Amino acid sequence: KSQNASDPYANLAIADIAHRQFKLMEGSREKKDERRILFEKFHKISHSIIEKDARNIYAANNLGVAFVHFQKLREAKQVFSQVQNAAKEMAAVWVNLAHTYVGLRQYPNALSAYRH
């Protein structure tokens, strides 16, 4: 089994690898099922980490990314905002929040987040 339930950081690394592989296969029609499996793994691992430790900002950021993927931008904005409030120095969350604002057509908020 590739997941060790007692090590959230190892699981985050596995989730990150699955997400990176998913992104590398973008646009590949032949690997559509493989991409779906990788993304489901990314989402499942991130969600299981949050269930065990709701304060894990990296797993929460991953869940926000999953919401964006499924076009649930309001939910993504809520998650990214919570992560941003908890970890103001986490650059990735500011970029993710800004991209989400663009998707929601909230351009002034997006510009503010990009500038941070």
Short mmCIF file of all heavy atoms in Angstrom, two decimals, residues 54-106:
data_model
loop_
_atom_site.label_atom_id
_atom_site.label_comp_id
_atom_site.label_asym_id
_atom_site.label_seq_id
_atom_site.Cartn_x
_atom_site.Cartn_y
_atom_site.Cartn_z
N ALA A 54 -7.34 18.86 10.71
CA ALA A 54 -7.99 19.96 9.98
C ALA A 54 -7.10 21.19 9.86
O ALA A 54 -7.40 22.08 9.07
CB ALA A 54 -9.30 20.32 10.68
N ARG A 55 -6.01 21.24 10.60
CA ARG A 55 -5.11 22.40 10.56
C ARG A 55 -3.97 22.24 9.56
O ARG A 55 -3.11 23.11 9.47
CB ARG A 55 -4.54 22.67 11.95
CG ARG A 55 -5.63 23.04 12.96
CD ARG A 55 -5.09 23.10 14.36
NE ARG A 55 -4.66 21.73 14.70
CZ ARG A 55 -3.74 21.44 15.60
NH1 ARG A 55 -3.16 22.38 16.27
NH2 ARG A 55 -3.42 20.19 15.85
N ASN A 56 -3.95 21.17 8.81
CA ASN A 56 -2.88 20.94 7.84
C ASN A 56 -3.12 21.84 6.62
O ASN A 56 -3.93 21.53 5.75
CB ASN A 56 -2.81 19.47 7.45
CG ASN A 56 -1.58 19.16 6.65
OD1 ASN A 56 -1.26 19.85 5.69
ND2 ASN A 56 -0.87 18.12 7.07
N ILE A 57 -2.39 22.94 6.57
CA ILE A 57 -2.63 23.94 5.53
C ILE A 57 -2.26 23.44 4.13
O ILE A 57 -2.85 23.86 3.14
CB ILE A 57 -1.91 25.26 5.83
CG1 ILE A 57 -0.40 25.06 5.97
CG2 ILE A 57 -2.50 25.94 7.05
CD1 ILE A 57 0.40 26.33 6.08
N TYR A 58 -1.30 22.55 4.04
CA TYR A 58 -0.89 22.04 2.73
C TYR A 58 -1.96 21.13 2.14
O TYR A 58 -2.28 21.23 0.95
CB TYR A 58 0.46 21.32 2.84
CG TYR A 58 1.52 22.25 3.37
CD1 TYR A 58 1.95 22.17 4.69
CD2 TYR A 58 2.07 23.24 2.56
CE1 TYR A 58 2.90 23.05 5.20
CE2 TYR A 58 3.02 24.12 3.05
CZ TYR A 58 3.44 24.01 4.37
OH TYR A 58 4.37 24.89 4.86
N ALA A 59 -2.53 20.27 2.97
CA ALA A 59 -3.62 19.42 2.50
C ALA A 59 -4.85 20.26 2.17
O ALA A 59 -5.55 19.99 1.20
CB ALA A 59 -3.95 18.36 3.55
N ALA A 60 -5.10 21.30 2.97
CA ALA A 60 -6.23 22.19 2.69
C ALA A 60 -6.03 22.90 1.35
O ALA A 60 -6.96 23.01 0.55
CB ALA A 60 -6.40 23.20 3.82
N ASN A 61 -4.82 23.36 1.10
CA ASN A 61 -4.53 23.99 -0.19
C ASN A 61 -4.79 23.00 -1.33
O ASN A 61 -5.37 23.37 -2.35
CB ASN A 61 -3.08 24.49 -0.22
CG ASN A 61 -2.79 25.31 -1.44
OD1 ASN A 61 -3.42 26.34 -1.68
ND2 ASN A 61 -1.82 24.88 -2.22
N ASN A 62 -4.40 21.75 -1.14
CA ASN A 62 -4.67 20.72 -2.15
C ASN A 62 -6.16 20.56 -2.39
O ASN A 62 -6.59 20.39 -3.54
CB ASN A 62 -4.08 19.37 -1.72
CG ASN A 62 -2.58 19.30 -1.87
OD1 ASN A 62 -1.94 20.21 -2.38
ND2 ASN A 62 -2.00 18.21 -1.40
N LEU A 63 -6.95 20.60 -1.33
CA LEU A 63 -8.41 20.48 -1.50
C LEU A 63 -8.95 21.66 -2.30
O LEU A 63 -9.85 21.49 -3.13
CB LEU A 63 -9.11 20.37 -0.15
CG LEU A 63 -9.00 19.03 0.53
CD1 LEU A 63 -9.76 19.04 1.86
CD2 LEU A 63 -9.54 17.91 -0.34
N GLY A 64 -8.41 22.84 -2.05
CA GLY A 64 -8.81 23.99 -2.86
C GLY A 64 -8.51 23.77 -4.33
O GLY A 64 -9.33 24.08 -5.19
N VAL A 65 -7.35 23.21 -4.62
CA VAL A 65 -6.98 22.89 -6.00
C VAL A 65 -7.98 21.90 -6.59
O VAL A 65 -8.41 22.04 -7.75
CB VAL A 65 -5.53 22.33 -6.07
CG1 VAL A 65 -5.23 21.74 -7.44
CG2 VAL A 65 -4.53 23.41 -5.70
N ALA A 66 -8.39 20.92 -5.81
CA ALA A 66 -9.38 19.94 -6.29
C ALA A 66 -10.71 20.63 -6.59
O ALA A 66 -11.34 20.35 -7.60
CB ALA A 66 -9.57 18.83 -5.25
N PHE A 67 -11.12 21.55 -5.71
CA PHE A 67 -12.37 22.29 -5.97
C PHE A 67 -12.28 23.06 -7.29
O PHE A 67 -13.24 23.09 -8.06
CB PHE A 67 -12.69 23.25 -4.82
CG PHE A 67 -13.33 22.60 -3.63
CD1 PHE A 67 -12.88 22.91 -2.35
CD2 PHE A 67 -14.38 21.71 -3.76
CE1 PHE A 67 -13.46 22.33 -1.23
CE2 PHE A 67 -14.97 21.12 -2.66
CZ PHE A 67 -14.51 21.43 -1.39
N VAL A 68 -11.14 23.69 -7.55
CA VAL A 68 -10.98 24.42 -8.80
C VAL A 68 -11.11 23.46 -9.98
O VAL A 68 -11.80 23.76 -10.97
CB VAL A 68 -9.61 25.15 -8.84
CG1 VAL A 68 -9.32 25.67 -10.25
CG2 VAL A 68 -9.59 26.29 -7.84
N HIS A 69 -10.47 22.31 -9.87
CA HIS A 69 -10.54 21.32 -10.95
C HIS A 69 -11.98 20.93 -11.26
O HIS A 69 -12.34 20.74 -12.43
CB HIS A 69 -9.73 20.08 -10.59
CG HIS A 69 -9.82 18.99 -11.60
ND1 HIS A 69 -9.16 19.03 -12.80
CD2 HIS A 69 -10.53 17.84 -11.59
CE1 HIS A 69 -9.45 17.94 -13.49
NE2 HIS A 69 -10.26 17.19 -12.78
N PHE A 70 -12.80 20.82 -10.23
CA PHE A 70 -14.20 20.43 -10.41
C PHE A 70 -15.12 21.63 -10.60
O PHE A 70 -16.34 21.51 -10.50
CB PHE A 70 -14.67 19.57 -9.23
CG PHE A 70 -14.00 18.22 -9.17
CD1 PHE A 70 -13.16 17.91 -8.11
CD2 PHE A 70 -14.17 17.29 -10.18
CE1 PHE A 70 -12.53 16.68 -8.06
CE2 PHE A 70 -13.54 16.05 -10.13
CZ PHE A 70 -12.72 15.75 -9.08
N GLN A 71 -14.52 22.80 -10.90
CA GLN A 71 -15.26 24.03 -11.16
C GLN A 71 -16.15 24.48 -9.98
O GLN A 71 -17.17 25.10 -10.18
CB GLN A 71 -16.12 23.89 -12.44
CG GLN A 71 -15.31 23.66 -13.69
CD GLN A 71 -14.37 24.81 -13.99
OE1 GLN A 71 -14.79 25.96 -14.01
NE2 GLN A 71 -13.11 24.51 -14.21
N LYS A 72 -15.71 24.17 -8.78
CA LYS A 72 -16.41 24.62 -7.57
C LYS A 72 -15.61 25.80 -7.00
O LYS A 72 -14.94 25.70 -5.98
CB LYS A 72 -16.53 23.48 -6.57
CG LYS A 72 -17.39 22.35 -7.07
CD LYS A 72 -17.54 21.27 -6.03
CE LYS A 72 -18.49 20.20 -6.55
NZ LYS A 72 -18.83 19.25 -5.50
N LEU A 73 -15.70 26.93 -7.72
CA LEU A 73 -14.84 28.06 -7.42
C LEU A 73 -15.18 28.74 -6.10
O LEU A 73 -14.28 29.23 -5.41
CB LEU A 73 -14.87 29.06 -8.57
CG LEU A 73 -14.36 28.53 -9.91
CD1 LEU A 73 -14.41 29.61 -10.97
CD2 LEU A 73 -12.95 27.98 -9.77
N ARG A 74 -16.44 28.80 -5.73
CA ARG A 74 -16.80 29.41 -4.45
C ARG A 74 -16.23 28.61 -3.28
O ARG A 74 -15.72 29.18 -2.32
CB ARG A 74 -18.31 29.55 -4.33
CG ARG A 74 -18.87 30.66 -5.19
CD ARG A 74 -20.35 30.90 -4.92
NE ARG A 74 -20.82 32.05 -5.65
CZ ARG A 74 -21.20 32.05 -6.93
NH1 ARG A 74 -21.16 30.92 -7.61
NH2 ARG A 74 -21.61 33.15 -7.52
N GLU A 75 -16.31 27.29 -3.39
CA GLU A 75 -15.73 26.44 -2.35
C GLU A 75 -14.21 26.60 -2.31
O GLU A 75 -13.61 26.66 -1.24
CB GLU A 75 -16.11 24.97 -2.57
CG GLU A 75 -17.58 24.66 -2.37
CD GLU A 75 -18.42 24.83 -3.63
OE1 GLU A 75 -17.98 25.51 -4.59
OE2 GLU A 75 -19.54 24.29 -3.66
N ALA A 76 -13.60 26.66 -3.49
CA ALA A 76 -12.15 26.84 -3.57
C ALA A 76 -11.75 28.17 -2.92
O ALA A 76 -10.79 28.23 -2.15
CB ALA A 76 -11.68 26.81 -5.02
N LYS A 77 -12.51 29.23 -3.22
CA LYS A 77 -12.21 30.54 -2.64
C LYS A 77 -12.27 30.48 -1.11
O LYS A 77 -11.40 31.02 -0.42
CB LYS A 77 -13.19 31.58 -3.16
CG LYS A 77 -12.96 32.97 -2.60
CD LYS A 77 -14.01 33.93 -3.11
CE LYS A 77 -14.70 34.51 -1.92
NZ LYS A 77 -15.77 35.41 -2.21
N GLN A 78 -13.27 29.80 -0.61
CA GLN A 78 -13.42 29.68 0.85
C GLN A 78 -12.22 28.94 1.46
O GLN A 78 -11.65 29.38 2.45
CB GLN A 78 -14.72 28.94 1.18
CG GLN A 78 -14.99 28.82 2.66
CD GLN A 78 -16.30 28.11 2.94
OE1 GLN A 78 -16.96 27.60 2.05
NE2 GLN A 78 -16.69 28.10 4.19
N VAL A 79 -11.82 27.84 0.85
CA VAL A 79 -10.68 27.06 1.36
C VAL A 79 -9.40 27.88 1.26
O VAL A 79 -8.64 27.99 2.24
CB VAL A 79 -10.53 25.72 0.60
CG1 VAL A 79 -9.23 25.03 0.94
CG2 VAL A 79 -11.71 24.80 0.91
N PHE A 80 -9.14 28.47 0.10
CA PHE A 80 -7.91 29.25 -0.07
C PHE A 80 -7.87 30.44 0.88
O PHE A 80 -6.81 30.78 1.41
CB PHE A 80 -7.75 29.72 -1.52
CG PHE A 80 -7.47 28.63 -2.51
CD1 PHE A 80 -8.06 28.66 -3.76
CD2 PHE A 80 -6.62 27.58 -2.20
CE1 PHE A 80 -7.80 27.67 -4.70
CE2 PHE A 80 -6.36 26.57 -3.13
CZ PHE A 80 -6.95 26.62 -4.38
N SER A 81 -9.01 31.06 1.12
CA SER A 81 -9.07 32.19 2.06
C SER A 81 -8.72 31.74 3.47
O SER A 81 -8.00 32.44 4.19
CB SER A 81 -10.45 32.84 2.04
OG SER A 81 -10.70 33.45 0.79
N GLN A 82 -9.21 30.58 3.86
CA GLN A 82 -8.90 30.06 5.20
C GLN A 82 -7.41 29.73 5.32
O GLN A 82 -6.79 30.03 6.33
CB GLN A 82 -9.75 28.84 5.51
CG GLN A 82 -11.21 29.18 5.73
CD GLN A 82 -12.09 27.95 5.87
OE1 GLN A 82 -11.64 26.82 5.71
NE2 GLN A 82 -13.36 28.17 6.17
N VAL A 83 -6.86 29.12 4.28
CA VAL A 83 -5.43 28.80 4.30
C VAL A 83 -4.62 30.09 4.33
O VAL A 83 -3.67 30.22 5.11
CB VAL A 83 -5.02 27.93 3.10
CG1 VAL A 83 -3.52 27.74 3.04
CG2 VAL A 83 -5.73 26.57 3.15
N GLN A 84 -5.01 31.06 3.53
CA GLN A 84 -4.30 32.34 3.48
C GLN A 84 -4.32 33.03 4.83
O GLN A 84 -3.33 33.59 5.27
CB GLN A 84 -4.93 33.21 2.39
CG GLN A 84 -4.38 34.60 2.27
CD GLN A 84 -5.18 35.59 3.08
OE1 GLN A 84 -6.40 35.53 3.17
NE2 GLN A 84 -4.49 36.50 3.69
N ASN A 85 -5.45 32.96 5.53
CA ASN A 85 -5.53 33.56 6.87
C ASN A 85 -4.63 32.84 7.87
O ASN A 85 -4.10 33.46 8.79
CB ASN A 85 -6.97 33.57 7.37
CG ASN A 85 -7.80 34.64 6.70
OD1 ASN A 85 -7.29 35.67 6.29
ND2 ASN A 85 -9.09 34.39 6.56
N ALA A 86 -4.47 31.54 7.69
CA ALA A 86 -3.65 30.75 8.62
C ALA A 86 -2.16 30.83 8.29
O ALA A 86 -1.32 30.66 9.17
CB ALA A 86 -4.10 29.29 8.60
N ALA A 87 -1.85 31.06 7.01
CA ALA A 87 -0.44 31.05 6.59
C ALA A 87 -0.21 32.15 5.56
O ALA A 87 -0.13 31.89 4.36
CB ALA A 87 -0.09 29.69 6.00
N LYS A 88 -0.11 33.35 6.03
CA LYS A 88 0.01 34.53 5.15
C LYS A 88 1.26 34.51 4.27
O LYS A 88 1.31 35.17 3.25
CB LYS A 88 -0.04 35.79 5.98
CG LYS A 88 -1.38 35.96 6.68
CD LYS A 88 -1.62 37.38 7.05
CE LYS A 88 -2.93 37.55 7.79
NZ LYS A 88 -4.11 37.21 7.07
N GLU A 89 2.27 33.75 4.66
CA GLU A 89 3.53 33.71 3.90
C GLU A 89 3.58 32.58 2.88
O GLU A 89 4.58 32.42 2.19
CB GLU A 89 4.72 33.59 4.86
CG GLU A 89 4.81 34.73 5.86
CD GLU A 89 4.81 36.12 5.21
OE1 GLU A 89 5.52 36.30 4.20
OE2 GLU A 89 4.08 37.00 5.69
N MET A 90 2.51 31.81 2.77
CA MET A 90 2.48 30.67 1.83
C MET A 90 2.14 31.20 0.43
O MET A 90 0.98 31.47 0.12
CB MET A 90 1.45 29.65 2.30
CG MET A 90 1.41 28.39 1.49
SD MET A 90 0.19 27.24 2.22
CE MET A 90 0.27 25.92 1.06
N ALA A 91 3.17 31.36 -0.40
CA ALA A 91 3.00 31.98 -1.72
C ALA A 91 2.00 31.23 -2.60
O ALA A 91 1.20 31.86 -3.30
CB ALA A 91 4.34 32.08 -2.41
N ALA A 92 2.03 29.92 -2.56
CA ALA A 92 1.15 29.13 -3.45
C ALA A 92 -0.31 29.43 -3.21
O ALA A 92 -1.10 29.49 -4.16
CB ALA A 92 1.42 27.64 -3.26
N VAL A 93 -0.69 29.65 -1.97
CA VAL A 93 -2.11 29.89 -1.70
C VAL A 93 -2.55 31.24 -2.24
O VAL A 93 -3.68 31.40 -2.70
CB VAL A 93 -2.45 29.73 -0.20
CG1 VAL A 93 -1.95 30.89 0.63
CG2 VAL A 93 -3.95 29.56 -0.02
N TRP A 94 -1.65 32.24 -2.22
CA TRP A 94 -2.00 33.54 -2.78
C TRP A 94 -2.24 33.43 -4.29
O TRP A 94 -3.18 34.02 -4.82
CB TRP A 94 -0.90 34.56 -2.48
CG TRP A 94 -0.92 35.02 -1.06
CD1 TRP A 94 -0.12 34.57 -0.05
CD2 TRP A 94 -1.79 35.99 -0.48
NE1 TRP A 94 -0.44 35.22 1.12
CE2 TRP A 94 -1.46 36.10 0.88
CE3 TRP A 94 -2.82 36.78 -0.98
CZ2 TRP A 94 -2.11 36.96 1.75
CZ3 TRP A 94 -3.47 37.64 -0.11
CH2 TRP A 94 -3.12 37.74 1.23
N VAL A 95 -1.38 32.68 -4.97
CA VAL A 95 -1.54 32.49 -6.41
C VAL A 95 -2.82 31.71 -6.70
O VAL A 95 -3.60 32.08 -7.58
CB VAL A 95 -0.31 31.79 -7.02
CG1 VAL A 95 -0.54 31.42 -8.48
CG2 VAL A 95 0.92 32.66 -6.87
N ASN A 96 -3.07 30.65 -5.93
CA ASN A 96 -4.29 29.86 -6.13
C ASN A 96 -5.53 30.71 -5.87
O ASN A 96 -6.51 30.62 -6.61
CB ASN A 96 -4.27 28.64 -5.22
CG ASN A 96 -3.25 27.63 -5.64
OD1 ASN A 96 -2.81 27.60 -6.78
ND2 ASN A 96 -2.84 26.78 -4.71
N LEU A 97 -5.48 31.53 -4.82
CA LEU A 97 -6.61 32.41 -4.52
C LEU A 97 -6.81 33.42 -5.64
O LEU A 97 -7.94 33.65 -6.08
CB LEU A 97 -6.37 33.10 -3.17
CG LEU A 97 -7.48 34.00 -2.65
CD1 LEU A 97 -8.79 33.23 -2.47
CD2 LEU A 97 -7.06 34.63 -1.31
N ALA A 98 -5.73 33.99 -6.14
CA ALA A 98 -5.84 34.95 -7.23
C ALA A 98 -6.44 34.31 -8.48
O ALA A 98 -7.33 34.89 -9.11
CB ALA A 98 -4.46 35.53 -7.55
N HIS A 99 -5.96 33.12 -8.84
CA HIS A 99 -6.52 32.42 -10.01
C HIS A 99 -8.02 32.16 -9.81
O HIS A 99 -8.81 32.28 -10.75
CB HIS A 99 -5.82 31.08 -10.23
CG HIS A 99 -4.42 31.17 -10.72
ND1 HIS A 99 -3.86 32.28 -11.30
CD2 HIS A 99 -3.43 30.24 -10.72
CE1 HIS A 99 -2.61 32.03 -11.64
NE2 HIS A 99 -2.32 30.79 -11.29
N THR A 100 -8.39 31.82 -8.59
CA THR A 100 -9.80 31.55 -8.29
C THR A 100 -10.63 32.82 -8.44
O THR A 100 -11.73 32.79 -9.00
CB THR A 100 -9.95 30.96 -6.87
OG1 THR A 100 -9.16 29.77 -6.80
CG2 THR A 100 -11.39 30.61 -6.56
N TYR A 101 -10.11 33.93 -7.96
CA TYR A 101 -10.80 35.22 -8.14
C TYR A 101 -10.99 35.53 -9.62
O TYR A 101 -12.05 36.02 -10.02
CB TYR A 101 -10.04 36.35 -7.46
CG TYR A 101 -10.24 36.45 -5.97
CD1 TYR A 101 -9.15 36.64 -5.13
CD2 TYR A 101 -11.50 36.38 -5.40
CE1 TYR A 101 -9.31 36.76 -3.76
CE2 TYR A 101 -11.67 36.49 -4.02
CZ TYR A 101 -10.58 36.68 -3.21
OH TYR A 101 -10.74 36.80 -1.85
N VAL A 102 -9.99 35.25 -10.43
CA VAL A 102 -10.13 35.48 -11.87
C VAL A 102 -11.27 34.62 -12.41
O VAL A 102 -12.13 35.09 -13.17
CB VAL A 102 -8.82 35.18 -12.63
CG1 VAL A 102 -9.05 35.15 -14.14
CG2 VAL A 102 -7.75 36.21 -12.27
N GLY A 103 -11.32 33.35 -12.01
CA GLY A 103 -12.40 32.47 -12.45
C GLY A 103 -13.77 32.95 -12.02
O GLY A 103 -14.76 32.73 -12.72
N LEU A 104 -13.81 33.64 -10.88
CA LEU A 104 -15.07 34.19 -10.38
C LEU A 104 -15.34 35.60 -10.92
O LEU A 104 -16.32 36.24 -10.56
CB LEU A 104 -15.06 34.23 -8.84
CG LEU A 104 -15.09 32.88 -8.15
CD1 LEU A 104 -14.77 33.03 -6.66
CD2 LEU A 104 -16.46 32.22 -8.33
N ARG A 105 -14.43 36.09 -11.76
CA ARG A 105 -14.51 37.43 -12.36
C ARG A 105 -14.47 38.54 -11.30
O ARG A 105 -15.06 39.59 -11.47
CB ARG A 105 -15.75 37.56 -13.24
CG ARG A 105 -15.76 36.60 -14.39
CD ARG A 105 -17.01 36.73 -15.23
NE ARG A 105 -17.12 35.67 -16.18
CZ ARG A 105 -16.74 35.75 -17.46
NH1 ARG A 105 -16.22 36.86 -17.90
NH2 ARG A 105 -16.89 34.73 -18.27
N GLN A 106 -13.74 38.26 -10.23
CA GLN A 106 -13.53 39.26 -9.18
C GLN A 106 -12.12 39.83 -9.36
O GLN A 106 -11.20 39.56 -8.60
CB GLN A 106 -13.70 38.62 -7.79
CG GLN A 106 -15.11 38.11 -7.54
CD GLN A 106 -15.25 37.43 -6.19
OE1 GLN A 106 -14.35 37.43 -5.36
NE2 GLN A 106 -16.41 36.82 -5.99
#
